Amino acid sequence: MTGKLDIDHLRQWIGRSEEATDIVTAQLVKGLRATLFQEVGEPKTGDAAPFTVHWCLAQPAFPMSMLGPDGHPTRGGFLPPVPLPRRMWAGGEIEFLQPLRVGDEATRTSRIADVQVKSGSTGTLCFVSVEHTVTSPRGAAIRERQDIVYREVTSSAPASAKAPPPPPKAQHRETHVSDPVLLFRYSALTFNGHRIHYDRDYVTKVEGYPGLIFHGPLQAALIVEMAAKLRSGKPPKKFTYRGLQPLFEGSEFSINANETADGMELWTANAEGQPTMKGTAVW
């Protein structure tokens, strides 16, 4: 698989752009609030949506014939045709400029910013960075960079890991259960067909994981909402985050925060308290 990865060819996608438009509906806001453990209410035109509602908007809708075995669209088009079979959301950075509101027509302009190849413990990794700007009728609402990682299939068992460090202590903590229905709801809200989030046979028998995988964006969304709640409803000006390890279905997980000199350190953690995603927020 590594020999087929032509980085010079893939880097020709840098600079490609696309634009998509969608409406922030009251029903979408209700569904996202319910999924983020918020009071659902009856959102009306002009009400602020959850801060990461843009991840639910204008998602590509490919016909079934154009989907690959993992549920993602076949490679090529806007994203470069990376030949490595496993794709995950690795992290990113978001700037919150102003809220999106019920009734807004939101336009997302996206651009391929970089393509890099690295070596990791699982073999060859290809990172694709995508920059997005989301605008509403009032102007720019969100600027964002998403880092997507593609990796090889590994058939050998991983080397024995060292004992994990003691879990970090949190000044602020919430706990929930990683329920399969929660994962299904977020897949539906984001029109995400990736089978690792809802197809247990696929994720365990094909990709070799012990269970359904919690979405990276859903972890990030819960972290952002907690950060805002701790600051009287004000989202951070900038939130930077990266995935550390998978979070699986069927167990308790936590959302955690510690105050710092210039903002907060935030993370999600599994039932053992080990961080699965880590981020920093500044106001």
Coordinates of all heavy atoms in Angstrom, one line a residue, residues 129-171:
S129 N -5.1 18.4 5.6 CA -5.6 19.6 6.3 C -6.6 20.4 5.4 O -6.2 20.7 4.3 CB -4.5 20.5 6.8 OG -3.7 19.8 7.8
V130 N -7.8 20.6 5.9 CA -8.8 21.3 5.2 C -9.2 22.6 6.0 O -9.5 22.5 7.2 CB -10.0 20.5 5.0 CG1 -11.0 21.2 4.1 CG2 -9.6 19.1 4.4
E131 N -9.2 23.7 5.3 CA -9.6 25.0 6.0 C -11.0 25.3 5.5 O -11.4 25.2 4.4 CB -8.7 26.1 5.6 CG -7.2 25.9 6.1 CD -6.3 27.0 5.6 OE1 -6.7 27.7 4.6 OE2 -5.2 27.1 6.1
H132 N -11.8 25.7 6.5 CA -13.2 26.1 6.2 C -13.5 27.5 6.8 O -13.0 27.9 7.9 CB -14.2 25.1 6.9 CG -14.0 23.7 6.6 ND1 -14.5 23.1 5.4 CD2 -13.5 22.7 7.3 CE1 -14.2 21.8 5.4 NE2 -13.6 21.5 6.5
T133 N -14.3 28.2 6.1 CA -14.9 29.5 6.6 C -16.4 29.3 6.4 O -16.9 29.0 5.3 CB -14.4 30.7 5.8 OG1 -13.0 30.8 6.0 CG2 -15.0 32.0 6.4
V134 N -17.1 29.5 7.5 CA -18.6 29.5 7.5 C -19.1 30.9 7.8 O -18.8 31.5 8.7 CB -19.1 28.5 8.6 CG1 -20.6 28.4 8.6 CG2 -18.5 27.1 8.5
T135 N -20.0 31.3 6.9 CA -20.6 32.6 7.0 C -22.1 32.5 7.1 O -22.7 31.6 6.7 CB -20.3 33.5 5.7 OG1 -20.8 32.8 4.5 CG2 -18.8 33.7 5.6
S136 N -22.6 33.5 7.8 CA -24.1 33.7 7.9 C -24.5 35.0 7.2 O -23.6 35.8 6.8 CB -24.5 33.7 9.4 OG -24.1 34.9 10.0
P137 N -25.7 35.4 7.2 CA -26.1 36.8 6.7 C -25.4 37.9 7.4 O -25.3 39.0 6.9 CB -27.6 36.8 6.9 CG -28.0 35.4 6.8 CD -27.0 34.6 7.5
R138 N -24.9 37.7 8.6 CA -24.2 38.7 9.4 C -22.7 38.7 9.2 O -22.0 39.5 9.8 CB -24.5 38.5 10.9 CG -26.0 38.7 11.2 CD -26.3 38.3 12.6 NE -25.9 36.9 12.9 CZ -26.7 35.9 12.5 NH1 -27.8 36.1 11.8 NH2 -26.3 34.6 12.8
G139 N -22.2 37.8 8.3 CA -20.7 37.8 8.0 C -20.1 36.5 8.5 O -20.8 35.5 8.8
A140 N -18.8 36.5 8.6 CA -18.1 35.3 9.0 C -18.5 34.8 10.4 O -18.5 35.7 11.4 CB -16.6 35.5 8.9
A141 N -18.8 33.6 10.6 CA -19.2 33.0 11.9 C -18.1 32.1 12.5 O -17.9 32.1 13.7 CB -20.5 32.3 11.8
I142 N -17.5 31.3 11.6 CA -16.6 30.3 12.1 C -15.4 30.2 11.1 O -15.7 30.2 9.9 CB -17.2 28.9 12.3 CG1 -18.2 29.0 13.4 CG2 -16.2 27.8 12.5 CD1 -19.1 27.8 13.5
R143 N -14.2 30.1 11.6 CA -13.1 29.7 10.8 C -12.5 28.5 11.4 O -12.4 28.4 12.6 CB -12.0 30.8 10.7 CG -12.4 32.0 9.8 CD -11.2 32.8 9.5 NE -10.8 33.6 10.7 CZ -11.1 34.9 10.9 NH1 -11.9 35.5 10.0 NH2 -10.7 35.5 12.0
E144 N -12.1 27.5 10.6 CA -11.7 26.2 11.1 C -10.7 25.5 10.2 O -10.6 25.7 9.0 CB -13.0 25.3 11.1 CG -12.7 23.9 11.6 CD -14.0 23.1 11.6 OE1 -15.0 23.5 11.0 OE2 -14.0 22.0 12.2
R145 N -9.8 24.7 10.9 CA -8.9 23.8 10.2 C -9.3 22.4 10.7 O -9.3 22.2 11.9 CB -7.5 24.1 10.5 CG -6.5 23.3 9.7 CD -5.1 23.3 10.2 NE -4.9 22.4 11.4 CZ -4.7 22.9 12.6 NH1 -4.6 24.2 12.8 NH2 -4.6 22.0 13.6
Q146 N -9.5 21.5 9.8 CA -9.7 20.1 10.1 C -8.5 19.3 9.6 O -8.1 19.4 8.5 CB -11.0 19.5 9.5 CG -12.3 20.1 10.0 CD -13.5 19.6 9.3 OE1 -13.4 18.8 8.4 NE2 -14.6 20.1 9.6
D147 N -8.0 18.4 10.5 CA -6.9 17.5 10.1 C -7.5 16.1 10.0 O -8.0 15.5 11.0 CB -5.8 17.5 11.2 CG -5.2 18.9 11.3 OD1 -5.1 19.6 10.2 OD2 -4.8 19.3 12.4
I148 N -7.4 15.5 8.8 CA -7.9 14.1 8.6 C -6.7 13.2 8.4 O -5.7 13.6 7.7 CB -8.8 14.1 7.3 CG1 -10.0 15.1 7.4 CG2 -9.3 12.7 7.0 CD1 -10.7 15.4 6.1
V149 N -6.7 12.1 9.0 CA -5.6 11.1 8.9 C -6.1 9.9 8.2 O -7.1 9.3 8.5 CB -4.9 10.8 10.2 CG1 -5.9 10.1 11.2 CG2 -3.7 10.0 10.0
Y150 N -5.2 9.4 7.2 CA -5.5 8.1 6.6 C -4.3 7.2 7.0 O -3.1 7.6 7.1 CB -5.4 8.3 5.0 CG -6.5 9.2 4.5 CD1 -6.3 10.6 4.5 CD2 -7.6 8.7 3.9 CE1 -7.3 11.4 4.0 CE2 -8.6 9.5 3.3 CZ -8.4 10.9 3.4 OH -9.4 11.7 2.9
R151 N -4.6 5.9 7.2 CA -3.5 5.0 7.6 C -3.8 3.6 7.0 O -4.8 3.3 6.4 CB -3.5 4.9 9.2 CG -4.7 4.2 9.8 CD -4.5 4.0 11.3 NE -5.6 3.4 11.9 CZ -5.9 2.1 12.0 NH1 -5.0 1.3 11.3 NH2 -6.9 1.6 12.6
E152 N -2.7 2.8 7.1 CA -2.8 1.5 6.6 C -3.6 0.5 7.5 O -3.9 0.8 8.6 CB -1.3 0.9 6.5 CG -0.4 1.7 5.6 CD 1.0 1.2 5.6 OE1 1.7 1.5 6.6 OE2 1.4 0.5 4.6
V153 N -3.9 -0.6 6.9 CA -4.5 -1.7 7.7 C -3.3 -2.5 8.4 O -2.3 -2.8 7.7 CB -5.3 -2.7 6.8 CG1 -5.7 -3.9 7.6 CG2 -6.4 -2.0 6.1
T154 N -3.4 -2.7 9.7 CA -2.4 -3.5 10.4 C -3.0 -4.8 10.8 O -4.0 -4.9 11.4 CB -1.9 -2.7 11.6 OG1 -3.0 -2.4 12.4 CG2 -1.2 -1.4 11.2
S155 N -2.3 -5.9 10.4 CA -2.8 -7.2 10.8 C -2.1 -7.8 12.0 O -2.7 -8.7 12.7 CB -2.5 -8.2 9.6 OG -1.1 -8.2 9.2
S156 N -0.9 -7.3 12.4 CA -0.2 -7.8 13.5 C -0.7 -7.1 14.8 O -1.2 -5.9 14.7 CB 1.3 -7.6 13.4 OG 1.5 -6.2 13.2
A157 N -0.7 -7.8 15.9 CA -1.1 -7.2 17.2 C -0.2 -6.1 17.6 O 1.1 -6.3 17.4 CB -1.2 -8.3 18.2
P158 N -0.6 -5.1 18.2 CA 0.3 -4.0 18.6 C 1.2 -4.5 19.7 O 0.8 -5.4 20.5 CB -0.7 -2.9 19.1 CG -2.0 -3.6 19.5 CD -2.0 -4.8 18.5
A159 N 2.3 -3.9 19.8 CA 3.3 -4.2 20.9 C 2.7 -3.9 22.2 O 1.8 -3.0 22.4 CB 4.6 -3.5 20.7
S160 N 3.1 -4.6 23.2 CA 2.6 -4.4 24.6 C 2.8 -2.9 25.0 O 4.0 -2.5 24.9 CB 3.2 -5.3 25.6 OG 2.9 -6.7 25.3
A161 N 1.8 -2.3 25.4 CA 1.9 -0.9 25.8 C 2.4 -0.8 27.3 O 2.2 -1.7 28.1 CB 0.6 -0.1 25.6
K162 N 3.1 0.3 27.6 CA 3.5 0.6 28.9 C 2.2 0.9 29.7 O 1.2 1.3 29.2 CB 4.5 1.8 29.0 CG 5.8 1.5 28.2 CD 6.6 2.8 28.3 CE 7.9 2.6 27.6 NZ 8.8 3.8 27.6
A163 N 2.4 0.7 31.0 CA 1.3 1.1 31.9 C 0.9 2.5 31.7 O 1.8 3.4 31.7 CB 1.6 0.8 33.4
P164 N -0.4 2.9 31.6 CA -0.8 4.3 31.3 C -0.4 5.1 32.6 O -0.4 4.6 33.7 CB -2.3 4.2 31.1 CG -2.7 2.9 31.8 CD -1.6 2.0 31.6
P165 N -0.2 6.4 32.3 CA 0.1 7.3 33.5 C -1.2 7.5 34.3 O -2.3 7.2 33.8 CB 0.5 8.6 32.8 CG -0.1 8.6 31.5 CD -0.1 7.1 31.1
P166 N -1.1 8.0 35.5 CA -2.3 8.2 36.3 C -3.2 9.2 35.6 O -2.7 10.2 34.9 CB -1.7 8.8 37.6 CG -0.3 8.4 37.7 CD 0.1 8.3 36.2
P167 N -4.5 9.0 35.7 CA -5.4 9.9 35.0 C -5.2 11.4 35.6 O -5.0 11.5 36.8 CB -6.8 9.4 35.3 CG -6.6 8.0 35.7 CD -5.2 7.9 36.3
P168 N -5.3 12.4 34.7 CA -5.2 13.8 35.2 C -6.4 14.1 36.1 O -7.5 13.6 35.9 CB -5.2 14.6 33.9 CG -5.9 13.7 32.9 CD -5.5 12.3 33.2
K169 N -6.2 15.0 37.0 CA -7.3 15.5 37.9 C -8.0 16.7 37.2 O -7.3 17.5 36.6 CB -6.7 15.8 39.3 CG -6.2 14.6 40.1 CD -5.7 15.0 41.4 CE -5.2 13.8 42.2 NZ -4.8 14.2 43.6
A170 N -9.3 16.7 37.4 CA -10.1 17.8 36.7 C -10.7 18.7 37.8 O -11.3 18.2 38.8 CB -11.1 17.2 35.8
Q171 N -10.7 20.0 37.5 CA -11.4 20.9 38.4 C -12.9 20.8 38.1 O -13.8 21.1 38.9 CB -10.9 22.3 38.1 CG -9.5 22.5 38.5 CD -8.9 23.9 38.1 OE1 -9.4 24.5 37.1 NE2 -7.9 24.4 38.7

